[in-house]
Amino acid sequence: MTSTTQVAENLVTIADQFALQGKVRSVAAFGSGNINDTFLVTLDSVIKSHFVLQRINTQVFRQPQLIMQNMRIYSDHVYQRLQHAPLNRRWEVPRVLSTQDSQDYYINADGCFWRAISYIQGSQSFDTMQNIEYAKEIGYALGMFHNLISDLPPEKLADTLVGFHITPLYLRHYEEVLAKTKVQPSPEVNYCLQFVSDRTSFAHILENAKAEGKLPLRLMHGDPKINNVMFDTQTQKAVSVIDLDTVKPGLVHYDIGDCLRSGCNPAGEETEQWDSVYFDTDLCQGILQGYLAVAKAFLTENDYAYMYDGIRLIAFELGLRFFADYLAGNVYFKVKHPEHNLARAIVQFKLTESIESQETQIRKIIQDMK
Ligand code: GN1
Ligand code: MG
């Protein structure tokens, strides 16, 4: 028996733990996540034909039980909200599936942490924006996500990833890595080193505003990038926001920044054609229009004042995270080749440059939409 079939058989055995509504037909790699391993399980059942099986990367998420706890609290809350005030369109919340032993997760013989999530039927996601209508829908989806948890007190959810989106901590980590790494200079590496060093004081902007009480701690998604929004394949409308591992206390600005840095980059975050990377302000307007249509109610004057900085910061921060990981030897993000994280960092830095060069227009878009 080859090792590939062994893994495949193991995966079926693991999937079986969560298959309460049918027999497992197949398990196949799914999606393009940079941290966890994700599989689509197909069942031989007519009622429930698929579910999503994931192995959580416990090097990153040190207390995976907390993720499951958060997911339960989050989905119960949203379920109640939707029961009391149903929406006039399709909206779905991914559900945690229990094991045969009624647990939220399964630890296999190797000690890996597995969990299963319901699959949003008849839906798909995209790595790059299709058109302006999709942009509005992506914005709507993030707004609806924030709206549905705006009355859940932030302290009800645990911190599943300490330091996540705290840019000054990423900067400190980067400086530590740099201090102990013998960096091989190249035009790309030099560009990144200079790029970061020119922006060290800017890295503190949101954390300072938070510390000064200008921006309140709220619940956030943490990773609302474009391919975490599911679209109904028939209606082309957004129907769900998935990937709930980092739903925890934070700033909505991290989410707005992350959604825009991924949604307004038509070349996508995996391109190696760095000259083609730019921030599309029409898509930005579309996303913000969709977002504000649902989020206006809970945003303050200061929230608007820091929106531009959030967009610029999260693009910069992701570039910094990729670059630090490249220097550290690719220990956090999965890579397909040794220079992958360097290439990803350059994309985010080019995007940041494009955001900076359009500051006046972006601030005006925000101002005009308040
Ligand atoms: C990681 O694993 P994935 O693809 O859902 C990362 C995000 C980054 C993203 C970039 C927990 O998300 O913060 O924005 O890669 N997640 C974590 O694609 O670090
Ligand atoms: Mg994620």
Side-chain angles (χ1 to χ4, degrees):
M1 193 190 283
T2 67
S3 63
T4 330
T5 35
Q6 263 170 21
V7 170
E9 286 193 343
N10 282 341
L11 281 173
V12 171
T13 313
I14 293 161
D16 268 336
Q17 301 295 323
F18 300 94
L20 307 188
Q21 284 177 310
K23 200 171 151 2
V24 174
R25 260 219 201 123
S26 63
V27 184
F30 190 54
S32 53
N34 290 329
I35 310 286
N36 298 324
D37 295 322
T38 305
F39 304 90
L40 184 66
V41 178
T42 305
L43 299 173
D44 67 355
S45 149
V46 271
I47 328 159
K48 282 274 171 284
S49 54
H50 297 99
F51 67 82
V52 176
L53 177 69
Q54 289 188 298
R55 174 166 52 197
I56 302 296
N57 180 334
T58 49
Q59 291 291 96
V60 170
F61 295 104
R62 298 289 176 153
Q63 290 178 281
Q65 292 87 342
L66 292 182
I67 297 181
M68 305 318 292
Q69 184 185 304
N70 278 2
M71 279 186 76
R72 286 274 181 200
I73 298 171
Y74 160 82
S75 52
D76 287 352
H77 176 84
V78 175
Y79 180 80
Q80 295 295 337
R81 274 277 303 257
L82 293 174
Q83 285 287 101
H84 282 111
L87 303 179
N88 57 6
R89 54 181 279 177
R90 181 181 177 201
W91 189 256
E92 307 228 7
V93 178
R95 281 176 305 104
V96 174
L97 305 187
S98 300
T99 64
Q100 311 278 3
D101 302 332
S102 310
Q103 300 298 307
D104 283 347
Y105 54 89
Y106 172 69
I107 305 217
N108 75 337
D110 301 338
C112 295
F113 188 103
W114 295 86
R115 61 104 190 269
I117 311 280
S118 60
Y119 174 73
I120 314 290
Q121 301 284 348
S123 73
Q124 64 185 130
S125 69
F126 304 92
D127 289 333
T128 49
M129 196 66 81
Q130 303 298 297
N131 57 45
I132 195 83
E133 292 310 314
Y134 279 77
K136 289 182 196 163
E137 283 298 304
I138 295 264
Y140 168 87
L142 182 62
M144 185 47 66
F145 183 90
H146 283 167
N147 188 349
L148 290 170
I149 47 172
S150 60
D151 58 338
L152 179 64
E155 63 277 8
K156 295 261 182 196
L157 297 193
D159 191 349
T160 49
L161 194 52
V162 177
F164 192 51
H165 289 311
I166 313 286
T167 318
L169 293 181
Y170 291 115
L171 190 61
R172 195 199 297 164
H173 170 69
Y174 163 79
E175 281 158 358
E176 284 164 6
V177 171
L178 204 54
K180 57 182 181 206
T181 310
K182 179 135 182 35
V183 182
Q184 294 293 339
S186 71
E188 289 79 20
V189 166
N190 295 349
Y191 165 77
C192 291
L193 290 169
Q194 189 63 44
F195 199 87
V196 177
S197 106
D198 289 343
R199 287 162 185 78
T200 50
S201 58
F202 165 65
H204 299 260
I205 190 149
L206 289 185
E207 294 316 305
N208 286 350
K210 186 165 81 182
E212 289 161 14
K214 290 181 181 159
L215 298 177
L217 198 67
R218 295 189 174 105
L219 288 178
M220 58 155 187
H221 180 279
D223 190 17
K225 59 176 171 180
I226 168 170
N227 60 14
N228 278 336
V229 175
M230 303 306 294
F231 282 82
D232 186 300
T233 43
Q234 298 290 316
T235 64
Q236 313 294 316
K237 296 280 180 198
V239 289
S240 187
V241 182
I242 59 165
D243 188 0
L244 306 173
D245 300 334
T246 49
V247 179
K248 68 185 196 81
L251 297 178
V252 290
H253 293 70
Y254 305 151
D255 279 356
I256 297 168
D258 196 62
C259 188
L260 288 161
R261 70 111 197 121
S262 70
C264 307
N265 168 9
E269 63 183 78
E270 292 292 325
T271 184
E272 298 210 357
Q273 242 101 53
W274 299 315
D275 290 340
S276 69
V277 176
Y278 73 99
F279 184 86
D280 186 316
T281 47
D282 289 339
L283 294 177
C284 169
Q285 182 158 19
I287 294 180
L288 285 177
Q289 193 182 324
Y291 179 73
L292 293 175
V294 235
K296 238 181 193 153
F298 57 81
L299 294 178
T300 67
E301 200 51 47
N302 274 336
D303 286 329
Y304 289 101
Y306 281 93
M307 231 170 242
Y308 166 77
D309 299 304
I311 301 167
R312 178 183 171 208
L313 187 72
I314 297 301
F316 170 70
E317 178 194 271
L318 185 59
L320 173 66
R321 294 171 63 199
F322 282 140
F323 186 45
D325 200 37
Y326 165 73
L327 295 174
N330 307 316
V331 291
Y332 185 94
F333 296 102
K334 287 185 206 167
V335 287
K336 296 204 171 85
H337 58 90
E339 313 284 300
H340 198 165
N341 278 322
L342 176 62
R344 287 165 167 162
I346 296 172
V347 173
Q348 296 305 316
F349 290 158
K350 291 284 174 193
L351 190 66
T352 309
E353 267 179 39
S354 175
I355 293 168
E356 290 167 350
S357 71
Q358 301 180 88
E359 173 171 356
T360 314
Q361 292 100 295
I362 300 171
R363 284 196 188 275
K364 184 163 185 323
I365 290 171
I366 296 165
Q367 190 59 32
D368 291 350
M369 249 187 257
K370 284 203 318 200

